[in-house]
Amino acid sequence: MTLTKRISELMQAITASIPEREFCIQLGFLTTLVGEPFYLYGRSGSGKSLVIDRITAAFKNVKILKLGKREQELPKALETYNLIIFQSFNPFEEKSKSNVHIALEDRQKASLIISGDIRPEVALNRTEITDKITLIVALPDSISSDALCKLLMTQGDTTSVHVSAGLTVSADEVTQWNEEIKKVALSEDTLYIIGEIAKTCDENNIYVPIRKWIALTNIIKAAAFFNGRSETRITDTFFLGTPIWGRTMSNTTIIDNYKNIVRDRILKEIPDIIKNPYDADDLLARVKHILFTSNNLYETKMFNNEPCVLYKINIAGEPAPLYVPLRYVESDGDFNPLNELKQEEKRVRCNYHGTSSCTISIDSAVKSIGLRNTYARGLQNSQTKPQGKFEDFGTLPTYILMENSPEVIEQKKKLLAEIRVEIQAAAEHETKNLQILRNVFNDIKASKDDLFCHKEFFKKSQEQVTDLFESTKTIINKIKEAHELIANQKTF
């Protein structure tokens, strides 16, 4: 039996009949095996004792020192123990605090688990050991209805665990494996992710000691080792995107950023697909505007670096100019015009309905204050607070300088020539993106059955790539539609 197969069966044995806590047990096992201290947090009745029993059941002939609620003296020879456990830890008892400090200093190679129902930021700060605890394993408060029903149907006994002797891990194996774990190489992807998390911590004043970074890296290496690899993968780091960081604010900040860090790394070959996706809707709109609008030459003026139609309206006795880019004339869809500050005027909605006359609607909240008044001024009076309800204001014509203008025809021909080049480039680019996304999906899929892979994060990563794949296919189809429209065009 290979080591990966053995550890896989061991994980199945120690996580049996404890629904939706499997990863907590796996992470606890991994952290215990590499000798790192962790805080097991959960409300009363969440299963902390069961998790500890399952973790300890994975080790053979392990010598355990267990300390409970009551105050008691630590034995002097702590180095003789393989595992030290503080159950129901109370950080407000001075003796318990002192014992934890002594254990952390004198434990040598012994692993250490502290469990409690007091929030990590309180318990660890009160004990002054925040920087000495590698990570937090937080148990969910309850289980989902589906998991509960499954548990009740199988009538599983969560208090018992059956692990065959051939699967359990001896102290000699722990020592040998830890030496092998040190040899595992950190991939460029792993180093990038750790580096970006470190930047996030620096930018948000989250202190993470170097010792903790080394310890977390060792856990990542251990995950790779037990999967039979000599180098880490992105999936080995998924636990970093879970609430292991102690403080609630730290967890929220790091988890939110970790999602983006992993996404950007997975899509490193096609960064623009998220940051600057191709706007196929705009392409299609431009093509349709060229092909299906008249060749009228309208009176315009340059504004915000493009020709615009100028409308002047009066609201609440106050004149206000509105600038509509020429590309909207004869289109069919709502849009916001530009105000004199070259910003989209969100309080005005326009639509040409396929004609040269602009239908204008205004937010009901500006009827009495005018457009030039800011929202801040309007909010001083609750009666003028923007309601987001638009009312018809009027329909204004666009002045035609010439019908079927040769100038407009030539301009359209020039734009179509440019768009043909754009379509070819965009089609090639998006087809390449599609192939890269297919490869990325397959790379992620290859880690589906990896040990210690956070399944929920894995699933979300796959779904994200799948969504991008489908949206890219939609973009390609719209590019094809634009191409076919031009191919079937008649001369102007």
Side-chain angles (χ1 to χ4, degrees), residues 32 56 62-65 81-85 110-113:
T32 301
T56 57
V62 62
K63 189 175 181 182
I64 302 173
L65 171 62
Y81 293 94
N82 304 111
L83 178 58
I84 303 170
I85 301 171
S111 301
L112 190 147
I113 303 173

Side-chain angles (χ1 to χ4, degrees), residues 230-411:
S230 59
E231 186 176 64
T232 60
R233 289 180 183 168
I234 289 178
T235 49
D236 299 324
T237 74
F238 279 175
F239 75 95
L240 299 178
T242 64
I244 65 168
W245 301 94
R247 295 180 176 88
T248 301
M249 186 174 294
S250 299
N251 281 329
T252 301
T253 301
I254 294 174
I255 290 172
D256 287 347
N257 280 276
Y258 177 81
K259 294 174 184 175
N260 295 331
I261 291 168
V262 169
R263 180 202 65 195
D264 291 347
R265 192 58 183 178
I266 288 174
L267 303 173
K268 60 181 180 292
E269 293 184 56
I270 44 175
D272 285 347
I273 202 165
I274 294 292
K275 297 177 182 177
N276 188 29
Y278 183 72
D279 193 345
D281 289 324
D282 176 68
L283 169 70
L284 204 52
R286 284 184 283 133
V287 169
K288 288 180 178 179
H289 193 269
I290 292 172
L291 299 180
F292 305 134
T293 58
S294 69
N295 298 320
N296 293 339
L297 179 63
Y298 294 102
E299 182 179 55
T300 60
K301 66 177 297 182
M302 292 301 294
F303 184 78
N304 200 32
N305 297 319
E306 64 177 318
C308 294
V309 177
L310 171 62
Y311 295 111
K312 294 181 179 179
I313 62 175
N314 281 277
I315 301 176
E318 177 185 72
L322 296 176
Y323 296 87
V324 175
L326 181 61
R327 52 192 159 89
Y328 287 115
V329 178
E330 298 184 49
S331 66
D332 189 3
D334 290 340
F335 63 91
N336 301 114
L338 301 174
N339 58 29
E340 55 194 323
L341 298 177
K342 300 182 180 180
Q343 299 172 340
E344 282 193 357
E345 182 51 75
K346 301 293 186 181
R347 297 167 292 178
V348 176
R349 183 183 293 164
C350 296
N351 195 322
Y352 279 94
H353 300 289
T355 70
S356 60
S357 295
C358 185
T359 299
I360 298 176
S361 303
I362 63 171
D363 191 309
S364 58
V366 303
K367 288 174 64 178
S368 60
I369 62 172
L371 283 177
R372 288 185 172 178
N373 285 348
T374 63
Y375 275 120
R377 179 178 170 186
L379 289 172
Q380 291 175 6
N381 186 331
S382 61
Q383 299 300 318
T384 59
K385 183 177 180 180
Q387 301 297 312
K389 297 178 181 177
F390 285 84
E391 298 180 359
D392 290 342
F393 177 82
T395 299
L396 302 178
T398 305
Y399 185 66
I400 301 173
L401 295 176
M402 180 186 295
E403 293 183 353
N404 204 31
S405 167
E407 178 185 336
V408 174
I409 293 173
E410 287 304 313
Q411 181 64 22

Side-chain angles (χ1 to χ4, degrees), residues 92-342:
F92 298 97
E93 290 182 356
E94 292 303 316
K95 187 64 178 176
S96 296
K97 283 176 56 180
S98 176
N99 284 344
V100 166
H101 277 278
I102 293 171
L104 283 167
E105 292 297 326
D106 298 347
R107 66 190 178 94
Q108 294 188 12
K109 293 184 178 180
S111 301
L112 190 147
I113 303 173
I114 304 171
S115 75
D117 57 8
I118 298 175
R119 288 186 298 111
E121 54 259 60
V122 175
L124 303 185
N125 284 346
R126 181 73 177 79
T127 315
E128 299 177 334
I129 57 171
T130 300
D131 298 336
K132 296 180 180 180
I133 299 300
T134 297
L135 53 78
I136 312 299
V137 176
L139 299 179
D141 294 340
S142 59
I143 61 175
S144 67
S145 57
D146 289 343
L148 176 60
C149 291
K150 183 178 179 181
L151 177 64
L152 295 176
M153 287 173 62
T154 58
Q155 297 182 351
D157 181 6
T158 59
T159 61
S160 62
V161 56
H162 305 285
V163 183
S164 66
L167 297 178
T168 54
V169 182
S170 69
D172 288 341
E173 286 177 317
V174 170
T175 301
Q176 177 190 341
W177 291 347
N178 272 289
E179 289 302 313
E180 294 298 319
I181 287 168
K182 292 177 183 177
K183 300 175 185 177
V184 174
L186 293 172
S187 67
E188 289 184 11
D189 289 338
T190 302
L191 289 169
Y192 172 86
I193 288 170
I194 292 173
E196 291 301 305
I197 296 174
K199 286 181 184 177
T200 297
C201 292
D202 289 341
E203 291 167 358
N204 292 276
N205 297 316
I206 299 171
Y207 175 65
V208 180
I210 294 176
R211 188 209 68 79
K212 185 174 287 190
W213 286 121
I214 294 172
L216 292 172
T217 301
N218 209 32
I219 294 172
I220 294 170
K221 287 184 175 183
F225 172 74
F226 287 119
N227 281 293
R229 290 185 269 105
S230 59
E231 186 176 64
T232 60
R233 289 180 183 168
I234 289 178
T235 49
D236 299 324
T237 74
F238 279 175
F239 75 95
L240 299 178
T242 64
I244 65 168
W245 301 94
R247 295 180 176 88
T248 301
M249 186 174 294
S250 299
N251 281 329
T252 301
T253 301
I254 294 174
I255 290 172
D256 287 347
N257 280 276
Y258 177 81
K259 294 174 184 175
N260 295 331
I261 291 168
V262 169
R263 180 202 65 195
D264 291 347
R265 192 58 183 178
I266 288 174
L267 303 173
K268 60 181 180 292
E269 293 184 56
I270 44 175
D272 285 347
I273 202 165
I274 294 292
K275 297 177 182 177
N276 188 29
Y278 183 72
D279 193 345
D281 289 324
D282 176 68
L283 169 70
L284 204 52
R286 284 184 283 133
V287 169
K288 288 180 178 179
H289 193 269
I290 292 172
L291 299 180
F292 305 134
T293 58
S294 69
N295 298 320
N296 293 339
L297 179 63
Y298 294 102
E299 182 179 55
T300 60
K301 66 177 297 182
M302 292 301 294
F303 184 78
N304 200 32
N305 297 319
E306 64 177 318
C308 294
V309 177
L310 171 62
Y311 295 111
K312 294 181 179 179
I313 62 175
N314 281 277
I315 301 176
E318 177 185 72
L322 296 176
Y323 296 87
V324 175
L326 181 61
R327 52 192 159 89
Y328 287 115
V329 178
E330 298 184 49
S331 66
D332 189 3
D334 290 340
F335 63 91
N336 301 114
L338 301 174
N339 58 29
E340 55 194 323
L341 298 177
K342 300 182 180 180

Side-chain angles (χ1 to χ4, degrees), residues 21-41:
R21 280 150 178 75
E22 293 89 348
F23 186 73
C24 294
I25 295 172
Q26 292 176 9
L27 184 57
F29 165 80
L30 207 58
T31 310
T32 301
L33 186 136
V34 298
E36 292 298 333
F38 70 92
Y39 183 73
L40 178 63
Y41 167 67

